[in-house]
């Protein structure tokens, strides 16, 4: 079988877990026995022996502070009380005296107003107390009296005359036998200025509730006690007593008020929560933990109690017991060795949540570590699953156990949907859970389980996702099929259908559904659910299937709407042949709306099939789209233009000619096939169109021949087209004249042809006339022809005379040039090198510039064409060769003859060089004009020139 998920966590402890309550013995050996120990806000105070007080700041344990009480009598410390700030220390003596010590001073002061009262308890004011002033506080005595008092330290740090501002009795607590010691006092503030005061005796727990007007808190709590002067306040009472009781509170971090309490009394421990919203009682969810058989209140009665978040700890003479407040079970017991002595007292520092225990000679400290580690299990066993999940959300192996238990609990209580949601979050075997719901025939719960399971899978788990999506599809289709046939379940059907569509369109399932769409299509088809098949195809963007479905059901408008909405070119090409047969106008409108995104060539087959079986009116739709392509989209594809031509030739001859004329006569800018167009027009007898095409093809003879069958004027317009070929134009006009004379036998028209074409003469036309035609018709034309000949002869004579005069002037100029000369002064210099001119061979130009031969050659050579440079180099080599004297000895007359020939050749070479070099002045001729765009600095030497300037 396939496991959809891994079957669970490996819950193994790799190392021994640290206990919740971790005990540590303090490395401290007191010089005298420890009488009492208190701690608050990291400030620890202990009474040693008869007269010594030791104060330790636990942040600086190496700097203890010792204070002497200065007592000369036999008085002993009875109890000590330290406020929440760790600043105010009260020391109750067994003689009925009370001493006070502030953290900032070293001197102990006696509280004179307190004298005569044995102090049992103090209720500190956490709301108005500061390091220098306690604010109104409550003090309980062994005689059952509750006093209100206030202690203040002067501004200068020294005590005033009386540090105790006042000390007045406000109430007396009683039991059945009369006044009873006030064991504990606690002051808490609720909402809207309401205060709660809790006071305990040996058997009773009293609650005083009342409001203190805003702004009068400094005046104390007398008004609250005054409300109960005539009647007892509410209290809880238990029958047993072991001579005292103690109450402990737990305050969470970041909160100022306690959340829970635990009261240790004779019958056991009363514990619960504190509800500040209740009008008359603060205590809520109360439970009693009865002492077990190993605790005998006569022999080993409890000494102290402290409360943590989930436990209360009881101090017995030789051990510590921790009881869980959730289930009342003892979860921890720590036995102390006899050598340490009997345990004396247990207290908790509320600010740092540390627990301190001491004997007369040893001090221990407990650290509370991860107290909530097993709380989830207790809440789970109590079926409080939300709380259980809250306390194990960071421990997935525990969370899985809780979820499995919750799922099983819901299943047993037939809450199948809730069970499915929980099972989906567990690591239990998928098949087991699925079979469980199948056997219970809870298909809806099974679907919920699969949906939740699917939502928790990772994208990489493709096989599992595929299995679940396919199975869910099958379940949805089965469920919809059942509901659809039941009219009474219409609303449920619609709701389920909406869920199914949401499932199909879920972005998370999209990739899986797309990759397995063939299977989904098969499922939909097997259930005959065409509605959801179309819906699924749209989601998958399988628009081809959607359009095909609409076409099969003759829903052509819907099919076209899908095409228009999604604008897929390939689908238009595929389905247009079908759609245009039924809704041609709408299809063409859709094509036009697509614009250039469609290639009209791919739509031509659809139009051809459609136009072959359609009427003229329907063909107009094809023409409308082709015209849109040609005139709006400016298509240049030959196939489109040819098809439009064929439609014009078939149905719109008038539009055919206008189209051809608009296309122009330049073959390079015409987009239709000329030969195809000519054949098409010829087949349909559109002669004027054929004439136009002949003209474009420059087949003027064929154009004139065909035009003469239609209209002589059309032929005349064709005859004038070959403007550069007079012979052809004359031939074409002769054709027109021949046609007019021989076919139409119209002499006047023939004469009109002569006037229309200057190339025709009367003698060209005469052979076409029959012999019997009288000369009267040609008299005017013959006279005009003779006059033209005379004018031509006269013009030729005038041109001959002008040519004779021109030749005469040229001969005179040549003679004048032969006699022309220039003078050179001795001081003249070369225009190129600025050295004296007469030192070397030179050239003198008519413009006045003079150059040495070699300077001119150097200036001209780079600007000559390559072939002239080669010729000049060749002539220079020949000239140098003729300058070498012959080394062989020949007869004298032979030598003379050779010299003459050589001298003649040398002169010719020099003349050729002059023709190249001295053809024009290098400064005034065309050479200078051609060099106007030449850079002053050769680009190849530009960088070198730049560097030379730096």
């Amino acid at each position: 079988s396939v496991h959809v998920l891994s079957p669970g966590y490996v819950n193994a402890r790799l190392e021994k877990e640290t206990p919740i309550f971790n005990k540590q013995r303090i490395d401290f050996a007191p010089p005298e026995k420890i009488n009492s120990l208190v701690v608050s806000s990291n400030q620890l105070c202990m009474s040693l022996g008869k007269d010594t007080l030791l104060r330790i700041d636990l942040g600086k344990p190496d700097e203890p502070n010792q204070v002497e009480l200065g007592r000369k009598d036999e008085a002993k410390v009875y109890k000590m009380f330290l406020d929440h700030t760790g600043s105010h220390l009260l020391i109750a003596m067994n003689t009925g005296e009370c001493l006070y010590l502030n953290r900032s001073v070293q001197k102990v002061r006696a509280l004179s107003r307190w004298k005569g009262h044995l102090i049992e308890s103090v209720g500190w004011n956490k709301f108005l107390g500061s390091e220098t002033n306690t604010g109104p506080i409550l003090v309980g005595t062994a005689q059952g009296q509750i006093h209100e008092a206030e202690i203040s330290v002067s501004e200068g740090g020294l005590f005033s005359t009386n540090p105790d501002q006042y000390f007045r009795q406000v109430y007396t607590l009683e039991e059945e036998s009369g006044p009873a010691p006030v064991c504990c006092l606690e002051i808490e503030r609720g909402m809207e200025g309401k205060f709660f005061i809790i006071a305990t005796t040996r058997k009773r727990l009293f609650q005083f509730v009342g409001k203190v007007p805003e702004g009068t808190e400094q005046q104390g709590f007398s008004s609250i006690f005054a409300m109960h002067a005539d009647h007892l306040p509410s209290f809880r009472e238990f029958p047993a007593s072991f001579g005292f009781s103690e109450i402990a509170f737990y305050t969470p971090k970041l909160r100022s008020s306690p959340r829970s309490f635990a009261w240790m009394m004779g019958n056991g421990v009363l514990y619960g929560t504190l509800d500040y919203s209740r009008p008359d009682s603060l205590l809520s969810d109360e439970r009693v933990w009865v002492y077990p058989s190993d605790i005998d209140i006569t022999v080993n009665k409890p000494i102290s109690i402290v409360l943590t978040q989930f436990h209360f700890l009881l101090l017995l003479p030789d051990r510590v017991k921790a009881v869980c407040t959730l289930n009342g079970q003892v979860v921890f017991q720590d036995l102390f060795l006899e050598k340490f002595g009997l345990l004396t007292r247990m207290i908790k520092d509320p600010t740092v949540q540390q627990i301190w225990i001491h004997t007369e000679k040893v001090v221990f400290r407990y650290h509370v570590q991860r107290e909530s580690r097993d709380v989830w299990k207790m809440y789970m066993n109590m079926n409080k699953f939300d709380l259980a999940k809250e306390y194990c959300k960071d421990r997935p192996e525990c969370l899985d156990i809780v979820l499995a238990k919750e799922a099983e609990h819901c299943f047993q209580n037939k809450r199948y949907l809730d069970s499915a949601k929980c099972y989906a979050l567990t690591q239990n075997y998928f098949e087991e859970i699925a079979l469980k719901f199948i056997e219970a025939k809870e298909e809806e719960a099974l679907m919920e389980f699969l949906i939740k399971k699917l939502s928790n899978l990772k994208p990489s788990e493709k096989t599992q996702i595929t299995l679940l999506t396919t199975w869910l599809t099958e379940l949805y289709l089965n469920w919809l099929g059942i509901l659809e046939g039941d009219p009474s379940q219409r609303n449920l059907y619609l709701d389920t259908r909406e869920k199914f569509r949401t499932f199909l369109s879920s972005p998370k399932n999209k990739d899986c559904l797309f990759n397995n769409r063939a299977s989904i299509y098969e499922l939909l088809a097997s259930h005959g659910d065409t509605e959801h098949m179309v819906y699924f195809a749209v989601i998958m963007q399988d628009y081809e299937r959607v359009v095909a479905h609409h076409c099969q059901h003759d829903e052509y408008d819907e099919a076209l709407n899908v095409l228009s909405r999604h604008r897929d070119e390939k689908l238009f090409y595929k389905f247009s042949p079908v759609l245009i047969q039924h809704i041609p106008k709408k299809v063409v409108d859709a094509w036009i709306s697509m614009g250039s995104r469609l290639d009209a060539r791919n739509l031509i087959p659809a139009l051809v099939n459609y136009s072959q079986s359609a009427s003229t009116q329907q063909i107009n739709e094809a023409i409308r789209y082709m015209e849109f392509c040609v005139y709006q989209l400016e298509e240049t594809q030959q196939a489109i233009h040819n098809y439009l031509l064929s439609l014009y030739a078939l149905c719109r001859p008038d539009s055919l000619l206008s189209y051809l004329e608009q296309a122009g006569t330049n073959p390079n800018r015409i987009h239709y096939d000329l030969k195809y167009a000519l054949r098409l027009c010829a087949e349909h007898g559109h002669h004027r169109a054929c004439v136009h095409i002949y003209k474009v093809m420059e087949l003027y003879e064929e154009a004139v021949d065909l035009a003469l069958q239609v209209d002589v004027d059309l032929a005349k317009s064709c005859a004038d087209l070959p403007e550069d070929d007079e012979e052809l134009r004359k031939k074409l006009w002769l054709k027109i004249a021949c046609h007019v004379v021989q076919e139409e036998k119209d002499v006047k028209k023939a004469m009109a042809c002569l006037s229309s074409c200057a190339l025709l003469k009367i003698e060209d036309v005469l052979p076409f006339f029959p012999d019997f035609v009288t000369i009267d018709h040609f008299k005017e034309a013959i006279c005009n022809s003779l006059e033209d000949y005379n004018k031509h002869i006269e013009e030729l004579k005038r041109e001959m005379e002008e040519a004779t005069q021109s030749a005469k002037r040229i001969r005179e100029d040549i003679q004048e040039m032969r006699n022309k000369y220039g003078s050179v002064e001795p001081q003249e210099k070369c225009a190129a090198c600025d050295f004296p001119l007469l030192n070397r061979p030179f050239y003198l130009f008519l413009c006045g510039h003079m150059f040495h031969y070699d300077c001119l050659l150097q200036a001209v050579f780079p600007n000559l064409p390559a072939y002239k440079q080669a010729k000049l180099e060749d002539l220079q080599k020949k000239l140098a060769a003729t300058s070498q004297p012959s080394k062989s000895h020949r007869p004298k007359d032979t030598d003379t003859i050779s010299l003459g020939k050589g001298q003649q050749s040398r002169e010719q070479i020099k003349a050729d060089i002059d023709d190249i070099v001295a053809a024009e002045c290098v400064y005034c001729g065309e050479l200078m004009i051609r060099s106007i765009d030449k850079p002053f600095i050769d680009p190849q030497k530009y960088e070198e020139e730049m560097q030379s300037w730096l």
Side-chain angles (χ1 to χ4, degrees):
S1 63
V2 178
H3 296 299
V4 174
L5 285 175
S6 58
Y9 297 101
V10 177
N11 188 8
R13 304 286 186 187
L14 299 182
E15 59 183 5
K16 189 175 181 180
E17 194 167 41
T18 308
I20 294 175
F21 302 101
N22 188 22
K23 183 172 69 175
Q24 175 190 7
R25 179 181 175 182
I26 303 302
D27 186 13
F28 171 69
E32 299 180 76
K33 71 173 184 177
I34 302 171
N35 299 320
S36 182
L37 183 148
V38 289
V39 62
S40 181
S41 295
N42 244 6
Q43 302 297 316
L44 184 144
C45 301
M46 67 173 73
S47 169
L48 301 176
K50 176 183 174 183
D51 199 46
T52 305
L53 193 68
L54 189 65
R55 296 188 296 183
I56 302 173
D57 182 349
L58 296 175
K60 304 172 185 176
D62 298 332
E63 302 175 12
N65 175 250
Q66 187 170 320
V67 178
E68 299 298 329
L69 298 181
R71 304 291 295 186
K72 303 298 182 182
D73 54 14
E74 295 301 319
K76 296 181 181 179
V77 173
Y78 176 62
K79 283 187 178 181
M80 294 198 303
F81 308 95
L82 187 63
D83 80 317
H84 63 286
T85 66
S87 302
H88 306 283
L89 176 66
L90 292 173
I91 308 160
M93 309 301 289
N94 61 357
T95 59
E97 291 181 274
C98 191
L99 307 178
Y100 172 75
L101 180 64
N102 189 276
R103 186 168 64 179
S104 60
V105 297
Q106 287 288 104
K107 188 176 180 181
V108 178
R109 294 298 303 270
L111 302 177
S112 59
R113 291 187 175 94
W114 296 41
K115 192 171 182 179
H117 299 281
L118 184 61
I119 308 301
E120 288 283 349
S121 58
V122 175
W124 296 104
N125 194 324
K126 294 179 286 188
F127 316 105
L128 297 177
S130 65
E131 293 184 1
T132 58
N133 190 292
T134 63
I137 60 174
L138 296 177
V139 180
T141 70
Q143 293 78 31
Q145 300 168 354
I146 298 177
H147 294 262
E148 187 175 64
E150 183 173 357
I151 302 172
S152 179
V153 180
S154 65
E155 294 294 330
L158 297 175
F159 287 114
S160 61
T161 307
N162 292 307
D164 48 339
Q165 302 294 309
Y166 60 87
F167 188 80
R168 56 177 174 258
Q169 182 177 348
V170 293
Y171 202 81
T172 300
L173 294 183
E174 294 183 355
E175 291 182 352
E176 293 176 357
S177 58
V182 182
C183 299
C184 296
L185 281 169
E186 180 75 14
I187 305 170
E188 296 298 338
R189 183 169 61 185
M191 296 178 288
E192 301 175 354
K194 185 183 291 186
F195 279 83
F196 297 86
I197 298 172
I198 296 176
T200 67
T201 62
R202 294 165 297 189
K203 296 182 179 182
R204 292 183 177 180
L205 186 152
F206 294 88
Q207 294 184 75
F208 298 88
V209 182
K211 284 190 176 182
V212 176
E214 188 175 353
T216 65
E217 291 91 346
Q218 195 66 42
Q219 298 177 11
F221 308 103
S222 303
S223 58
I224 298 176
F225 289 102
M227 295 169 58
H228 301 280
D230 299 330
H231 62 277
L232 283 175
S234 64
F235 65 89
R236 295 294 310 276
E237 184 175 15
F238 288 87
S241 168
F242 45 61
F244 66 93
S245 70
E246 184 174 346
I247 191 167
F249 296 91
Y250 168 72
T251 304
K253 290 181 180 179
L254 307 178
R255 285 188 59 175
S256 60
S257 300
R259 190 179 69 183
S260 55
F261 75 97
W263 179 39
M264 180 185 73
M265 40 75 184
N267 290 87
V269 177
L270 175 71
Y271 63 97
T273 59
L274 300 178
D275 186 353
Y276 294 89
S277 63
R278 298 179 66 180
D280 55 354
S281 176
L282 194 60
L283 311 183
S284 178
D285 297 330
E286 298 174 39
R287 284 165 287 174
V288 176
W289 182 77
V290 180
Y291 296 128
S293 58
D294 62 340
I295 297 178
D296 185 350
I297 63 173
T298 60
V299 180
N300 60 340
K301 60 186 175 184
I303 301 168
S304 296
I305 185 170
V306 297
L307 181 63
T308 63
Q309 185 177 6
F310 297 107
H311 301 84
F312 61 80
L313 280 75
L314 285 176
L315 181 69
L316 300 171
D318 62 345
R319 71 191 66 193
V320 172
K321 281 182 180 286
V323 179
C324 179
T325 56
L326 298 178
N327 57 12
Q329 300 294 317
V330 176
V331 296
F332 171 78
Q333 183 166 270
D334 193 5
L335 189 64
F336 287 75
L337 300 176
E338 290 184 10
K339 68 177 182 178
F340 298 135
L342 294 176
L343 301 177
T344 307
R345 178 82 171 153
M346 176 173 62
I347 52 174
K348 185 181 76 167
D349 186 345
T351 56
V352 294
Q353 303 296 327
Q354 290 180 348
I355 300 168
W356 296 78
I357 297 175
H358 72 91
T359 66
E360 290 184 346
K361 50 187 176 182
V362 183
V363 178
F364 297 94
R365 179 170 57 187
Y366 280 98
H367 290 275
V368 183
Q369 297 181 331
R370 294 180 57 237
E371 186 182 2
S372 61
R373 67 183 71 171
D374 294 323
V375 168
W376 64 271
K377 194 181 299 182
M378 299 172 194
Y379 278 130
M380 179 184 72
N381 294 331
M382 297 161 63
N383 293 335
K384 294 182 178 180
F385 299 109
D386 290 338
L387 288 171
K389 287 184 280 189
E390 181 67 25
Y391 283 100
C392 63
K393 58 186 178 183
D394 298 328
R395 300 167 67 184
E397 72 280 1
C398 302
L399 181 61
D400 188 65
I401 297 170
V402 174
L403 288 168
K405 183 73 179 290
E406 183 181 8
E408 185 63 30
H409 176 75
C410 293
F411 193 91
Q412 296 297 333
N413 288 278
K414 299 188 177 181
R415 291 163 46 205
Y416 296 111
L417 285 177
D418 293 334
S419 176
K421 292 175 183 176
C422 293
Y423 269 132
L425 299 173
T426 67
Q427 303 297 319
N428 290 23
Y429 283 114
F430 172 82
E431 296 90 332
E432 292 179 3
I433 301 167
L435 286 171
K436 203 167 190 174
F437 288 116
I438 292 171
E439 289 170 0
K441 297 183 180 179
E442 288 296 327
E443 197 165 285
E444 188 176 0
L446 176 61
M447 289 170 64
E448 183 67 28
F449 168 68
L450 297 178
I451 290 170
K452 291 292 181 183
K453 204 72 172 174
L454 179 62
S455 67
N456 294 329
L457 291 177
K458 298 175 183 177
S460 58
E461 297 173 302
K462 295 182 179 179
T463 305
Q464 294 91 326
I465 292 173
T466 303
L467 284 170
L468 292 183
T469 50
T470 308
W471 193 0
L472 276 168
T473 303
E474 175 71 24
L475 291 173
Y476 267 120
L477 291 172
N478 288 338
W479 189 237
L480 286 171
I482 294 168
L483 295 176
E484 191 175 16
D486 188 352
S488 64
Q489 299 288 336
R490 179 65 180 171
N491 291 334
L492 181 58
Y493 167 77
L494 294 175
D495 184 53
T496 307
R497 186 181 69 174
E498 188 60 33
K499 287 182 180 178
F500 181 43
R501 292 185 173 185
T502 303
F503 167 75
L504 292 177
S505 58
S506 169
K508 187 172 182 180
N509 303 333
K510 185 175 181 181
D511 289 342
C512 176
L513 290 170
F514 181 80
N515 294 331
N516 299 280
R517 59 188 183 279
S519 301
I520 304 299
Y521 281 132
E522 288 178 8
L523 279 174
L524 292 165
S526 66
H527 284 266
D529 195 341
T530 56
E531 178 186 1
H532 283 108
M533 183 181 289
V534 173
Y535 181 84
F536 180 68
V538 171
I539 293 171
M540 294 293 104
Q541 298 183 355
D542 190 358
Y543 302 118
E544 181 177 348
R545 188 181 292 269
V546 178
V547 176
H549 170 80
H550 288 311
C551 289
Q552 289 170 3
H553 293 80
D554 297 337
E555 297 168 352
Y556 302 110
D557 286 333
E558 286 296 323
L560 184 59
N561 288 339
V562 174
L563 290 177
S564 301
R565 190 162 55 248
H566 300 290
R567 304 173 74 83
D568 188 329
E569 300 89 346
K570 294 180 181 178
L571 295 183
F572 267 103
Y573 300 147
K574 181 170 183 176
F575 291 100
S576 288
V578 176
L579 296 176
I580 200 169
Q581 299 290 338
H582 300 89
I583 46 173
K585 185 178 185 307
K586 291 181 179 179
V587 171
V588 171
D589 289 340
W591 289 351
I592 291 174
S593 69
M594 287 287 287
S596 59
R597 291 183 62 177
L598 290 179
D599 186 347
R601 291 177 301 174
N602 295 328
L603 297 172
I604 289 176
L607 290 171
V608 169
N609 292 336
Y610 170 65
S611 60
Q612 287 177 351
S613 59
S615 64
T616 304
Q617 182 64 33
Q618 293 169 320
I619 292 175
N620 288 337
E621 294 299 328
I623 293 175
R624 181 161 71 96
Y625 180 65
M626 288 292 108
E627 287 179 339
F628 168 76
C629 294
V630 170
Y631 298 123
Q632 301 295 323
L633 301 181
E634 299 181 353
E635 285 283 357
T636 59
Q637 295 293 333
Q638 192 177 77
I640 296 171
H641 287 263
N642 286 347
Y643 184 57
L644 181 58
L645 267 175
S646 67
L647 294 174
Y648 279 151
L650 185 64
C651 295
R652 294 188 187 174
D654 296 339
S655 299
L656 172 64
L657 188 58
S658 64
Y659 165 78
L660 293 173
E661 290 173 349
Q662 189 172 347
T665 57
N666 186 345
N668 295 325
R669 295 184 179 180
I670 288 175
H671 304 302
Y672 58 84
D673 186 339
L674 288 168
K675 294 180 181 179
Y676 172 76
L678 182 62
R679 179 171 60 81
L680 197 66
C681 295
E683 286 178 0
H684 291 85
H686 302 313
H687 296 309
R688 286 184 179 274
C690 290
V691 170
H692 179 83
I693 296 170
Y694 277 134
K695 288 193 295 184
V696 175
M697 298 172 72
E698 298 183 355
L699 300 175
Y700 301 115
E701 291 190 48
E702 289 82 351
V704 169
D705 289 341
L706 186 58
L708 288 174
Q709 299 178 24
V710 179
D711 184 8
V712 174
D713 291 335
L714 180 61
K716 289 179 180 180
S717 66
C718 296
D720 281 332
L721 292 175
E723 297 176 356
D724 299 332
D725 192 345
E726 291 187 355
E727 185 178 348
L728 178 58
R729 283 172 59 202
K730 185 175 181 179
K731 182 178 179 181
L732 298 177
W733 277 101
L734 284 175
K735 281 179 177 284
I736 296 171
C738 178
H739 174 80
V740 170
V741 172
Q742 294 181 354
E743 299 296 331
E744 298 186 7
K745 302 187 182 336
D746 191 334
V747 178
K748 291 184 178 181
K749 273 190 178 182
M751 293 301 101
C753 288
L754 291 178
S755 61
S756 299
C757 181
L759 299 177
L760 288 184
K761 306 295 181 183
I762 184 64
E763 58 269 30
D764 298 325
V765 180
L766 284 176
F768 301 137
F769 290 94
D771 296 338
F772 57 82
V773 176
T774 59
I775 200 171
D776 292 344
H777 293 92
F778 313 116
K779 181 178 179 181
E780 185 178 353
I782 292 172
C783 291
N784 291 336
S785 180
L786 291 175
E787 287 177 4
D788 290 341
Y789 279 127
N790 286 333
K791 288 179 181 178
H792 187 58
I793 291 170
E794 291 298 326
E795 189 174 340
L796 289 174
K797 285 181 179 180
R798 187 167 60 256
E799 289 177 358
M800 290 174 63
E801 290 177 1
E802 290 176 357
T804 302
Q805 292 296 326
S806 177
K808 182 179 177 182
R809 285 195 297 273
I810 291 170
R811 283 195 296 273
E812 291 173 355
D813 290 343
I814 292 172
Q815 188 61 38
E816 185 179 349
M817 288 295 293
R818 285 176 179 169
N819 299 325
K820 198 163 186 177
Y821 65 93
S823 61
V824 179
E825 298 296 330
Q827 68 274 17
E828 293 289 351
K829 294 182 179 180
C830 173
C833 67
D834 206 31
F835 280 94
L837 188 69
L838 299 178
N839 290 354
R840 301 198 299 275
F842 63 90
Y843 287 100
L844 171 64
F845 291 95
L846 294 177
C847 60
H849 287 115
M850 307 171 213
F851 300 92
H852 289 129
Y853 167 74
D854 54 342
C855 292
L856 182 64
L857 181 64
Q858 187 178 0
V860 171
F861 186 82
N863 297 294
L864 292 175
Y867 74 93
K868 281 193 176 183
Q869 289 180 352
K871 183 176 180 182
L872 182 59
E873 289 176 348
D874 185 52
L875 289 171
Q876 286 178 323
K877 289 179 182 177
K878 288 181 179 179
L879 182 63
T882 57
S883 301
Q884 300 289 335
S886 177
K887 293 183 180 181
S888 59
H889 297 280
R890 294 187 179 89
K892 186 178 179 181
D893 53 348
T894 307
D895 212 25
T896 303
I897 294 168
S898 297
L899 185 62
K901 288 182 180 179
Q903 187 67 29
Q904 185 179 7
S905 175
R906 180 181 173 80
E907 292 299 325
Q908 182 61 44
I909 291 170
K910 290 176 71 176
D912 291 342
I913 290 175
D914 289 345
D915 288 342
I916 295 173
V917 175
E920 58 183 359
C921 175
V922 71
Y923 287 173
C924 304
E926 290 185 10
L927 189 64
M928 182 59 68
I929 296 171
R930 287 198 303 271
S931 68
I932 194 168
D933 59 347
K934 182 179 178 182
F936 291 111
I937 301 174
D938 187 350
Q940 296 180 352
K941 299 180 179 179
Y942 184 79
E943 291 296 329
E944 182 181 342
E945 187 70 22
M946 284 280 291
Q947 294 297 326
S948 69
W949 279 77
L950 296 176

